[in-house]
Amino acid sequence: MFGTVKDSKYTSYLMPLIALILMSATVIAVQYNSYREDTIQLGKILTETEEDEITYEKAVETLDKYGYVKEGESSFYRRFLWTGGMTIAGAFAAYWLIVFCIKRQEKEAFRRYKDILEAIEKDIEELREGSYGEVESSLSKCLKGLNSNPEAVRIATALDKLNGNFLLIKQKAEADKKETKDVVTDISHQLKTPLAAVKSTFEILQNQDLSQEEREEFEERMAFQLDSLEKLTASLVNISRLESGMISIQLRKGKLFDSILDAVNGVWQKAQEKNIVIELEEGETEKLPEIMQDRKWLTEAFINILENAVKYSKENTAISIRVFNMNSMVRIEFADQGIGISPNEKHKIFQRFYRGEKEEIRRESGSGVGLYLARYIISRHGGTIMVKDNRIDGEKCGSIFVVQIPLLRRSLTNL
């Protein structure tokens, strides 16, 4: 690992020794054969024989007879002994040189291995402290120019990925913390006004000098504020449960007409109080398709849209619902004749707790969570919601909320 010699210690030393022994034995064998051939050739020359072959023993006798052998050794034999000895000595020197190189390589590999481990330890410490990645990592510096360390490179890559995950988790935690803080601030702000109104009304009702008519008036005001608190609390509970996954949206095949009809029935009484007509344009009921929907929650989204339309529309006006079948989507338009929405607010109205800046909006009770909840529910259906100006005879008159939801796939049409 990390560039060290992967063979065992004994194998590292034994293999070159065996190779040198075999090479030396081969060289000595060749030299010995050369010595015999030289002896035989000289024997032929001295005997002036025309025989094609002369034995080695006979050649030695001839050399001894003519004085070529001294002290039992010929010059050919002495040369053989010298070259053989040099071969063995060279092999021995080569072996120790190889051992020296192996030891040096192992020492260098161990040093590099130690450096890499220290670099990994330092990077892990930086990961723990959150300072990893501010400058070049220690492991990356250590690996510069080392192309033979794939394991270390993989560890460096894994550390970078781990750091990336830590950064994402940290950013998400910071975002969640900020969002939680904002939510708590918004909720406290939303609750402050109705609670203050209830408290002041209750204090007034404790006055024994109030007439029956005044008492009824303040009781009516308190009931109104309590109703607002109840609606706000219900909306906050729904948002919390949906976002935390405590309530899941279950999509099933169903008729879009049913959800629209339920929503219209849900706001009919409020619309009747202002003499506002809610109409589904003539002939459109036949075009309403089946979609994958959670009827309860999609109805909730449509109710929130229609309640806003009723709340901010003048008396004796109309709200039109139009449906268009497109290639892969169904488009539902809720057109009102209300106060309209300024261009700079069209991207804000779907934010949680946002309420418009117009005086007409401020006069009406509301928490600013209805459209946020509608957008969330529709997005969970795979759809989108937007708002644009409604125009009648070219004149700006209210708003049109446009909802688009995917149609059933062909594979689902026969379910």
Side-chain angles (χ1 to χ4, degrees):
M1 186 178 180
F2 304 132
T4 60
V5 180
K6 293 186 178 181
D7 297 326
S8 67
K9 180 178 179 180
Y10 297 106
T11 303
S12 300
Y13 296 149
L14 186 60
M15 292 302 293
L17 178 61
I18 293 174
L20 287 172
I21 290 174
L22 291 175
M23 290 174 61
S24 299
T26 302
V27 171
I28 291 173
V30 171
Q31 291 173 347
Y32 180 72
N33 289 332
S34 177
Y35 151 70
R36 289 174 63 93
E37 289 294 328
D38 290 342
T39 300
I40 292 171
Q41 289 297 328
L42 184 57
K44 287 182 180 181
I45 294 172
L46 293 176
T47 57
E48 296 181 354
T49 179
E50 295 181 357
E51 295 179 6
D52 293 338
E53 295 183 0
I54 181 172
T55 62
Y56 168 73
E57 290 76 10
K58 187 175 181 179
V60 171
E61 291 177 2
T62 303
L63 265 63
D64 184 53
K65 179 180 178 182
Y66 284 93
Y68 283 91
V69 176
K70 295 180 181 180
E71 298 179 358
E73 297 178 351
S74 66
S75 60
F76 295 138
Y77 184 70
R78 286 192 294 272
R79 185 175 63 185
F80 162 69
L81 290 178
W82 186 84
T83 54
M86 292 299 295
T87 300
I88 293 173
F92 182 77
Y95 174 71
W96 282 109
L97 179 62
I98 292 173
V99 170
F100 173 77
C101 292
I102 290 175
K103 284 183 174 292
R104 185 175 180 180
Q105 182 182 7
E106 287 178 343
K107 185 177 181 181
E108 176 65 22
F110 179 77
R111 183 193 64 78
R112 186 165 48 188
Y113 173 77
K114 184 179 178 182
D115 291 344
I116 290 175
L117 286 180
E118 289 177 353
I120 293 174
E121 184 179 3
K122 186 175 180 181
D123 285 345
I124 292 175
E125 182 65 19
E126 289 180 355
L127 277 172
R128 187 182 69 81
E129 294 176 353
S131 60
Y132 182 92
E134 294 180 357
V135 293
E136 186 178 12
S137 69
S138 300
L139 185 55
S140 298
K141 291 179 182 178
C142 186
L143 293 178
K144 279 187 176 179
L146 302 179
N147 298 322
S148 58
N149 293 274
E151 295 91 348
V153 171
R154 285 198 293 269
I155 291 177
T157 303
L159 285 173
D160 289 339
K161 290 181 178 178
L162 184 61
N163 180 60
N165 291 336
F166 282 166
L167 289 177
L168 288 176
I169 293 172
K170 183 179 179 182
Q171 291 171 1
K172 186 178 184 303
E174 291 176 351
D176 290 344
K177 182 179 179 181
K178 182 179 182 302
E179 183 178 359
T180 301
K181 182 179 178 181
D182 293 342
V183 169
V184 171
T185 302
D186 290 337
I187 291 175
S188 62
H189 177 74
Q190 292 295 325
L191 293 174
K192 184 178 180 180
T193 301
L195 283 175
V198 169
K199 182 180 178 181
S200 61
T201 304
F202 178 75
E203 290 174 350
I204 293 173
L205 286 173
Q206 288 181 314
N207 187 351
Q208 300 296 328
D209 298 331
L210 289 177
S211 65
Q212 183 62 30
E213 183 179 350
E214 290 174 331
R215 187 172 298 278
E216 290 176 356
E217 179 184 351
F218 282 110
E219 286 177 351
E220 185 178 344
R221 290 182 184 181
M222 180 179 285
F224 176 79
Q225 294 297 337
L226 289 173
D227 183 61
S228 298
L229 275 173
E230 183 181 10
K231 289 180 180 178
L232 174 60
T233 303
S235 297
L236 292 174
V237 168
N238 284 337
I239 291 173
S240 176
R241 288 180 176 178
L242 283 170
E243 291 183 345
S244 63
M246 293 177 64
I247 297 177
S248 61
I249 292 180
Q250 303 292 333
L251 301 182
R252 295 182 177 84
K253 183 179 178 182
K255 295 180 180 180
L256 177 61
F257 175 77
D258 294 337
S259 298
I260 293 177
L261 181 60
D262 291 344
V264 172
N265 290 335
V267 300
W268 178 81
Q269 184 174 357
K270 292 181 180 179
Q272 190 180 40
E273 291 173 358
K274 298 179 70 173
N275 197 27
I276 295 175
V277 177
I278 302 176
E279 55 186 4
L280 186 63
E281 292 194 354
E282 185 178 356
E284 294 295 327
T285 54
E286 299 175 358
K287 298 180 182 180
L288 294 185
E290 289 185 324
I291 60 172
M292 295 299 294
Q293 64 170 326
D294 186 314
R295 180 173 171 180
K296 174 182 178 296
W297 288 108
L298 189 59
T299 298
E300 177 78 13
F302 291 163
I303 286 176
N304 289 342
I305 296 171
L306 288 172
E307 277 189 341
N308 262 23
V310 171
K311 184 185 296 184
Y312 301 115
S313 292
K314 297 178 180 179
E315 295 181 352
N316 305 314
T317 57
I319 297 173
S320 299
I321 302 175
R322 300 188 287 264
V323 179
F324 305 91
N325 283 324
M326 307 172 74
N327 289 333
S328 60
M329 309 285 286
V330 58
R331 179 185 178 104
I332 311 109
E333 294 185 354
F334 300 88
D336 63 56
Q337 298 173 18
I339 60 177
I341 300 169
S342 60
N344 64 323
E345 289 185 301
K346 288 180 180 176
H347 66 287
K348 298 179 181 179
I349 60 173
F350 299 105
Q351 297 175 4
R352 181 165 42 195
F353 302 121
Y354 181 81
R355 300 199 68 201
E357 300 173 354
K358 293 183 178 181
E359 183 62 28
E360 296 95 325
I361 296 176
R362 295 297 178 183
R363 285 200 301 262
E364 297 287 343
S365 63
S367 59
V369 297
L371 291 179
Y372 170 81
L373 188 59
R375 182 191 63 80
Y376 184 87
I377 294 170
I378 291 168
S379 67
R380 293 293 297 274
H381 281 73
T384 60
I385 182 172
M386 60 165 288
V387 64
K388 63 180 184 178
D389 295 333
N390 186 19
R391 295 185 180 276
I392 299 177
D393 297 329
E395 295 293 329
K396 183 177 177 181
C397 181
S399 304
I400 300 177
F401 283 82
V402 181
V403 175
Q404 294 190 128
I405 299 176
L407 285 168
L408 282 172
R409 295 179 181 177
R410 291 185 179 181
S411 60
L412 298 174
T413 54
N414 295 324
L415 291 177

